[in-house]
Amino acid sequence: MFAPRTTPWPLVALFTAGYLAPYLLPTTVGRLERGLGLSATQAGAVGSALLLSSATAGFLLASRVERVGARTLARLGLLLAAVGYGGAALTTAVPAVVAGAMIGGFGSGTATTVAATRIAAERDPHRASALGLLSVSALAGVVYLTVPHLPGHGLTLAAIALTALAVWPLTSRLPAGTPGPRRTAPGGATTRLPHRRSGLVLAGAMLLWSLAQNALWGVSGRIGVGQAHLSEATVGVVFAVALGAGLLGVLGAGALGSRLGRALPIGGGTVLIAGCIALSASATGLGSFAAGEIAWNTIYPVVLSYLIGLAASLDPRGRWAVLVGSASSLGTAAGPLTGSVLSAQAGFPVMGTVLATGLLLVALPMTAVALHTGGRPLLPGAVRRRGGHPAAVIAAAPGTPTGTVPEVGAPEQPVVEIPLDGTPAPAQVTYDTAAATRAPGAAH
């Protein structure tokens, strides 16, 4: 009998608090533009600064979660998010808003780093990340339905701050710090980062993938209001419906699991996203705008959940999950400014074509990584031969990292000779029948 799977709700909540800021980016940028009298480029730059700060937290803290402790870092991140976003929501001074957004962004990045690291250590990281995306999509949908009916530039920032405060009590269920020397390999050397080539390719591809997504997402509100001639309330309803469709996509991804592997959902899904971006960027009415946004937001979280699972599978300690996530945050940070500049120089339709073309190109290396390192995850301790069949099941020693084990296509593990205590028995050269007439030491 298999033990029932437990749902890591503290990680899901922490994931939600960290990812909420990127999900609310369009309305955050639009509110800053209208509420503080900023230009579109200036508002986009504030959004980029927020997300850049979030990415910085990931790069700085990727290797420190185990030593500092998930609980300590999670509480620090939530505190910074609450103080930063809350302060930015309560002031109209532009420098203070920018500073608060950057402090809050660093807090969001810290929370995301802890969540990604712990999710990578789960028996089923894809399921945990899918639940996190489901939660953040639902919460963001509620905000999009509420914010357009209320005045003020800082409502979305306040929503993120309140979410951070609400998640705080759940951090008591996270592990505390275990200060001490770094975990080392059996030979005494520091554990190296596995799958370096695949991880670097995935990180670079995710940077461009996220840039393209958020270049459109950051200006989607302006497309709806300015080019499709919709009201802010109507655009908010479209976004809420789109995020609701995203919930269905995440549920479908969670139910599908690894049945199709990772390469097909990642590669094929990215191609479909490219078409949705081109459609949304060229929308001139409610029908085309809603169709592009809803289809895009249905597919996007599905592909993202598989990408998160792929990054988590590269290293059970979660380092690649954090580093790839931070690279994605860099692309996310550059997205609003990129979208603002492209749309200002060439218009929304041309911007959509450029972004769609970039996504088609970046789909190739991501699919290649999924094919090279993909496969069905194994239980911790299961060892596969190159052909993919279980060779042995070993008991993990105390302190051995658990999680997804490298699968088919991963490099063979070196064979280590282990010396045994005592003197080995001499080997017999030949065998014969026992006979009483054979004298000791006689020739065979």
Side-chain angles (χ1 to χ4, degrees), residues 313-332:
S313 72
L314 297 180
D315 177 25
R317 293 178 61 186
R319 290 169 293 180
W320 274 126
V322 174
L323 293 174
V324 170
S326 299
S328 174
S329 295
L330 283 178
T332 301

Side-chain angles (χ1 to χ4, degrees), residues 335-354:
L337 187 57
T338 301
S340 296
V341 172
L342 280 177
S343 60
Q345 297 296 322
F348 293 122
V350 174
M351 178 202 71
T353 301
V354 172

Side-chain angles (χ1 to χ4, degrees), residues 168-335:
W168 177 280
L170 296 176
T171 58
S172 61
R173 298 173 60 184
L174 297 175
T178 53
R182 283 174 177 255
R183 182 181 298 166
T184 56
T190 302
T191 305
R192 296 183 61 187
L193 192 63
H195 298 291
R196 291 194 174 189
R197 182 180 300 176
S198 296
L200 289 173
V201 171
L202 183 60
M206 276 292 289
L207 189 153
L208 299 176
W209 188 85
S210 296
L211 186 148
Q213 308 283 336
N214 286 277
L216 179 66
W217 188 236
V219 298
S220 287
R222 290 168 51 204
I223 294 174
V225 174
Q227 182 173 280
H229 308 293
L230 306 175
S231 66
E232 183 186 0
T234 303
V235 171
V237 171
V238 171
F239 286 160
V241 173
L243 292 173
L247 298 179
L248 299 178
V250 174
L251 289 173
L256 186 62
S258 60
R259 290 181 179 85
L260 297 179
R262 295 192 182 103
L264 180 60
I266 290 174
T270 299
V271 172
L272 293 176
I273 288 173
C276 295
I277 285 180
L279 174 61
S280 182
S282 60
T284 56
L286 176 59
S288 54
F289 180 74
E293 292 289 330
I294 292 172
W296 174 33
N297 281 277
T298 302
I299 303 169
Y300 165 79
V302 175
V303 180
L304 180 59
S305 69
Y306 281 97
L307 286 170
I308 293 173
L310 176 59
S313 72
L314 297 180
D315 177 25
R317 293 178 61 186
R319 290 169 293 180
W320 274 126
V322 174
L323 293 174
V324 170
S326 299
S328 174
S329 295
L330 283 178
T332 301

Side-chain angles (χ1 to χ4, degrees), residues 24-435:
L24 296 180
L25 189 64
T27 187
T28 300
V29 171
R31 285 279 168 155
L32 291 176
E33 179 184 353
R34 292 185 292 273
L36 300 179
L38 302 178
S39 67
T41 303
Q42 289 172 333
V46 175
S48 293
L50 183 159
L51 298 174
L52 181 61
S53 181
S54 179
T56 302
F59 284 118
L60 291 177
L61 303 174
S63 61
R64 293 176 169 83
V65 175
E66 287 183 350
R67 286 180 291 167
V68 178
R71 185 189 307 166
T72 301
L73 276 183
R75 287 178 172 177
L76 174 63
L78 295 175
L79 177 62
L80 290 176
V83 172
Y85 294 128
L90 295 175
T91 182
T92 57
V94 174
V97 170
V98 174
M102 294 185 67
I103 293 172
F106 195 91
S108 292
T110 303
T112 303
T113 297
V114 176
T117 303
R118 299 300 304 171
I119 284 174
E122 291 288 313
R123 293 173 64 87
D124 190 351
H126 178 262
R127 177 173 176 267
S129 59
L131 287 172
L133 290 171
L134 189 68
S135 175
V136 72
S137 297
L139 182 56
V142 172
V143 174
Y144 276 117
L145 285 174
T146 305
V147 165
H149 303 284
L150 301 172
H153 75 281
L155 288 176
T156 53
L157 298 172
I160 305 171
L162 292 175
T163 300
L165 292 177
V167 171
W168 177 280
L170 296 176
T171 58
S172 61
R173 298 173 60 184
L174 297 175
T178 53
R182 283 174 177 255
R183 182 181 298 166
T184 56
T190 302
T191 305
R192 296 183 61 187
L193 192 63
H195 298 291
R196 291 194 174 189
R197 182 180 300 176
S198 296
L200 289 173
V201 171
L202 183 60
M206 276 292 289
L207 189 153
L208 299 176
W209 188 85
S210 296
L211 186 148
Q213 308 283 336
N214 286 277
L216 179 66
W217 188 236
V219 298
S220 287
R222 290 168 51 204
I223 294 174
V225 174
Q227 182 173 280
H229 308 293
L230 306 175
S231 66
E232 183 186 0
T234 303
V235 171
V237 171
V238 171
F239 286 160
V241 173
L243 292 173
L247 298 179
L248 299 178
V250 174
L251 289 173
L256 186 62
S258 60
R259 290 181 179 85
L260 297 179
R262 295 192 182 103
L264 180 60
I266 290 174
T270 299
V271 172
L272 293 176
I273 288 173
C276 295
I277 285 180
L279 174 61
S280 182
S282 60
T284 56
L286 176 59
S288 54
F289 180 74
E293 292 289 330
I294 292 172
W296 174 33
N297 281 277
T298 302
I299 303 169
Y300 165 79
V302 175
V303 180
L304 180 59
S305 69
Y306 281 97
L307 286 170
I308 293 173
L310 176 59
S313 72
L314 297 180
D315 177 25
R317 293 178 61 186
R319 290 169 293 180
W320 274 126
V322 174
L323 293 174
V324 170
S326 299
S328 174
S329 295
L330 283 178
T332 301
L337 187 57
T338 301
S340 296
V341 172
L342 280 177
S343 60
Q345 297 296 322
F348 293 122
V350 174
M351 178 202 71
T353 301
V354 172
L355 298 178
T357 302
L359 279 176
L360 293 177
L361 294 176
V362 84
L364 298 176
M366 291 195 304
T367 305
V369 172
L371 288 172
H372 179 66
T373 62
R376 186 163 298 190
L378 302 174
L379 295 178
V383 180
R384 282 188 183 271
R385 294 191 174 101
R386 184 168 292 279
H389 301 290
V393 176
I394 58 176
T400 302
T402 60
T404 305
V405 177
E407 301 152 36
V408 181
E412 295 281 0
Q413 298 296 319
V415 178
V416 180
E417 294 184 1
I418 304 175
L420 300 176
D421 294 334
T423 304
Q428 291 180 317
V429 179
T430 59
Y431 294 87
D432 200 349
T433 57

